[in-house]
Amino acid sequence: MRYPIYLITILFILLSLTLSACSGAAASEVSRVTPLPTAVDATATPTVASTPTPTASPTLTPVVLTTADGAATPLPLSNDLPEGSAAAIAAATDIALKPTVENRLTFDQSPVPIKFAEFYEKYDIRKGLILTDKLVSLDGQTVTMEGYMAPPLKSALDFFVLTRVRLAFCPFCSSAADWPDDIALVYLVGDAVPVTIQPVRVTGRMEVGISHDEETGMVSLVRIYADKVEVLQ
Amino acid sequence: MSKRLLTVYRLFAIGLILAMLLAVRPASQATAQQEAPPVLILPIDRATFLPGAMFDVRIEVHADELPADFAVTVDDQDATKFFGAKATEESWEFGPEEGPLTPVQSLVWRELSFSEPGDHTVAVTAGGETTQVTWSVLEPQNAGAKNVILFIADGMSIAEITAARMMSRGNTEGKYNGAFAMDEMEEIGLVHTSGMDSMITDSANSASAYNTGHKSAVNALGVYPDTSAETTDDPMQETFAEMVKRTRDMAVGIVTTANWTDATPAAVFAHTRRRSDQNYIAAEPLDDGLLPEVILGGGSRHMLAQDTPGSRRDDDRDLFTEYEDAGYTVVTTAADMEAAMATPPERLLGLFHSNNMDVWLDRNVYTDNITADTDQPGLVEMTTTALDVLNQNENGFYLQVEAASVDKQMHPLDYERALADLIEFDEAIAAAQEWVQANAPDTLIVVTADHGHGFDVYGGVDVEAFNAATTDDEKRAAIGTYADAGYPDYVDADGDHFPDSWVVKRTMAMFVNNFPDYTEDFQVSPVPRVPAIPSDPEDDSSRAVDNPDDDPNGIPLQGNLPVAGATTGVHTMQDVPIFASGPGAEFFGRVMDNTEVFFGMADAIGLDPSAADGLAVAATK
Ligand SMILES: [Zn+2]
């Protein structure tokens, strides 16, 4: 072989190109905070649609993992930000993002249960997702939601993405993946929680409206500041 | 980080190195001092051009600085003089974050073209060694066609056509009860699909070859891949659509069942190293000024400003409005599209799904699986609509039509969904043939695939016996081979060329030659198929395992793909068929490289971008 060192180097660069080319948004930004990466759905390799395992509606014995008082085991976080500051950044952007409510609904229970299926009326090609009156009316209210933690990069988080179905891929690291629309960003008011593949129930204040933070690249439509995350087994 | 992507890039690396080593390096007369730095010349050796076609040239020298003896010549003349322009010097480093980084000194010339046919040798001397490549500028021909329609069924191989024909037309005593529209075209040939990086291609690389006449690499569109991290600075190859618009003022149309910014449709106009840049691609026609007269497909999420819920953009551009301002009539439903055609608009943008459009089988049979809130047109309506808009241009048109989900459904081994879309693809060809006969007989129609899947049929399955069986051996006994295979019992009583029911007593034993661990029951899946899932849901590169929810009554099959992360089948290497009819069709009746398809289309319409009117001198017909 004529240029052994060169060959190895070019191999490396191409590998690193992969990083920047295929999960660049994730690789560089996730380390700071939790942006929802922009779509990276096309690759050389095939895309399977996102959802391998259909969700059975999560039920059964809740096990409290952590509370606002924080009884969770300290675990490494997935970002470089001090714990809780992701939530603070999100909260700051929420202030500017009050959705307009035309038909405000009132709720006679609190927390109000809401399902992902109740988020959107429909997808309009030009207007995008049309939010339901219920979702919009829940801005600022305490809600409870069930779903799955999207596979994150690290083993514990003070925020995570709640999804309707269990995602078989890590949306941050898979180029074939793309975020579904049925997601909520969950910020833990208390301590970090360990990751689980079991369904979880999240209780806390819901904020609705597109939030994108220039500094962090974070984009979300629905956020929950969770006082409580329970694992449903 | 997904392993399969690593693999893809590893192969790319090997390909690039091969390309560099293949570039001829005559023995050095230099004294044995330090070793000469590696040199990369793009376009590659044996690249072919039309006179007047625009392209960029990039020379890379992988060294801290250009050696003292550095020189670039074309046909022994100084390159600056030959090209009539001074190169822009650029430098960067590439390599892993932790190092070591490789320094690159580069020269780039933009928007060059050759004025006449002939061969040219580009030689780069660096560190006492000379690397050289030869390029050929071909003589334009003219078969007298006015328009070109290029049909691409993504991932369609010959056995898929055979199986779809069996389902659609049926067969009695060994003779088919009817032929596909593509079966009856004038010429048939075979196309090699490999790219410069790898023997196995992807849809970006291959559609790019059809549209530019140049090789590229996996994930790249309309460029030769260089080593810089920037994905939009790679040396550009002008596309067929750009040439016919620039030099002939012809109309251009793009029809697909995928995101219109997906690889195959994007190959008509895009220039990027990274096909997943769909937001960039969606704005490219506006930013580059190549505005196709027709864009029909899915992918509205790349058009919405980031504040719009459901958008995938990362900026505030509202592309629907921008396209409207650029003169497009925008439609979002099949009904709106039909209404808009009462007076065909000059420019038509129709997007009918946030993402890829739903497949024929779900739109027409398993309608619970539909994922859009709008009525979506089928490929046939989109094709004829596009033709009616394009035909308003008296200079002719180029239309590329893609049946995207033959591939997108072949990957998850969802054969009925793939083959139904292949039948729909053939219906679109039939509709185009009819349209051409009535409206524009001087139209070349080319039908091909961009790569295959390792699909075939090896027998017939007695569904009742299969489902009643309690052991795997009994299930396998329900598969008949040779004389016992018989024929499937799909019925098309209503004559629409699609089976009236997809649930039949006797199916075909369909399979592909590469697969993950999964189970197969040889029956239509009422929901889109997911044959395998990662064993660790937190890690998409974990071992792919059988999805227990898919074909639970099937025969378990031990996969033969790499176990890490490969949950679906992959593209294969086989040549793909190419069919052609109309003026210039005879070009395609042979075995050819995928880059030649471009020249076949160019020769049909007499494209000569070096001529003032873009027209080759005389029609040879
Ligand atoms: Zn594919």
Side-chain angles (χ1 to χ4, degrees), chain B residues 228-287:
Chain B
S228 79
E230 171 63 48
T231 57
T232 55
D233 73 340
D234 300 58
M236 187 211 70
Q237 310 152 339
E238 191 175 22
T239 69
F240 188 76
E242 288 170 323
M243 288 177 215
V244 299
K245 240 183 187 316
R246 176 170 68 83
T247 68
R248 300 262 290 257
D249 204 15
M250 286 169 62
V252 169
I254 299 164
V255 170
T256 180
T257 51
N259 270 336
W260 78 276
T261 49
D262 198 12
T264 309
V268 172
F269 61 89
H271 301 280
T272 172
R273 177 67 184 90
R274 184 168 62 188
R275 59 181 272 183
S276 61
D277 285 339
Q278 293 200 49
N279 293 329
Y280 173 84
I281 292 169
E284 238 188 306
L286 293 163
D287 299 342

Side-chain angles (χ1 to χ4, degrees), chain B residues 127-436:
Chain B
E129 289 205 29
T130 298
T131 307
Q132 65 182 45
V133 300
T134 300
W135 300 334
S136 295
V137 185
L138 306 183
E139 181 90 47
Q141 307 293 318
N142 190 342
K146 183 179 177 192
N147 315 302
V148 178
I149 309 174
L150 174 61
F151 278 96
I152 300 175
D154 206 301
M156 175 180 75
S157 50
I158 289 173
E160 293 168 37
I161 299 172
T162 314
R165 189 194 298 111
M166 182 66 73
M167 280 176 159
S168 169
R169 302 306 205 266
N171 183 306
T172 307
E173 295 178 314
K175 292 190 174 180
Y176 283 97
N177 303 325
F180 269 160
M182 66 179 105
D183 295 340
E184 299 184 322
M185 293 178 71
E186 293 161 16
E187 300 285 345
I188 179 164
L190 289 174
V191 179
H192 315 312
T193 66
S194 300
M196 62 181 271
D197 56 334
S198 166
M199 59 186 165
I200 309 291
T201 190
D202 80 325
S203 297
N205 190 8
S206 54
S208 185
Y210 293 161
N211 276 283
T212 66
H214 290 278
K215 289 292 181 187
S216 193
V218 168
N219 284 333
L221 291 163
V223 294
Y224 279 107
D226 62 27
T227 66
S228 79
E230 171 63 48
T231 57
T232 55
D233 73 340
D234 300 58
M236 187 211 70
Q237 310 152 339
E238 191 175 22
T239 69
F240 188 76
E242 288 170 323
M243 288 177 215
V244 299
K245 240 183 187 316
R246 176 170 68 83
T247 68
R248 300 262 290 257
D249 204 15
M250 286 169 62
V252 169
I254 299 164
V255 170
T256 180
T257 51
N259 270 336
W260 78 276
T261 49
D262 198 12
T264 309
V268 172
F269 61 89
H271 301 280
T272 172
R273 177 67 184 90
R274 184 168 62 188
R275 59 181 272 183
S276 61
D277 285 339
Q278 293 200 49
N279 293 329
Y280 173 84
I281 292 169
E284 238 188 306
L286 293 163
D287 299 342
D288 293 353
L290 179 124
L291 293 167
E293 278 65 17
V294 179
I295 300 169
L296 297 173
S300 66
R301 61 195 192 158
H302 299 293
M303 307 286 281
L304 305 172
Q306 60 181 349
D307 280 2
T308 308
S311 165
R312 291 296 187 280
R313 289 198 72 77
D314 49 8
D315 60 24
D316 295 324
R317 294 180 72 171
D318 166 10
L319 294 190
F320 276 116
T321 303
E322 289 192 35
Y323 277 96
E324 237 162 22
D325 292 347
Y328 283 83
T329 296
V330 175
V331 294
T332 59
T333 67
D336 285 356
M337 182 173 83
E338 205 186 326
M341 291 305 289
T343 318
E346 210 171 300
R347 288 182 175 149
L348 178 64
L349 169 65
L351 300 188
F352 310 100
H353 199 289
S354 63
N355 194 0
N356 299 318
M357 292 172 70
D358 289 310
V359 299
W360 187 94
L361 195 63
D362 291 332
R363 289 200 325 271
N364 293 280
V365 181
Y366 298 101
T367 51
D368 284 353
N369 300 324
I370 288 180
T371 54
D373 293 313
T374 47
D375 64 317
Q376 304 165 69
L379 193 64
V380 175
E381 300 95 285
M382 291 199 290
T383 302
T384 52
T385 299
L387 289 170
D388 284 334
V389 174
L390 296 172
N391 200 36
Q392 299 175 106
N393 185 320
E394 58 188 19
N395 299 318
F397 62 80
Y398 168 53
L399 170 64
Q400 184 191 283
V401 178
E402 186 205 20
S405 288
V406 175
D407 176 69
K408 290 185 196 298
Q409 299 300 321
M410 237 347 123
H411 278 297
L413 321 181
D414 203 332
Y415 307 123
E416 285 84 355
R417 280 181 178 72
L419 297 182
D421 269 41
L422 200 160
I423 299 171
E424 185 188 36
F425 176 67
D426 192 68
E427 292 296 300
I429 296 164
Q433 288 171 337
E434 199 177 308
W435 184 97
V436 161

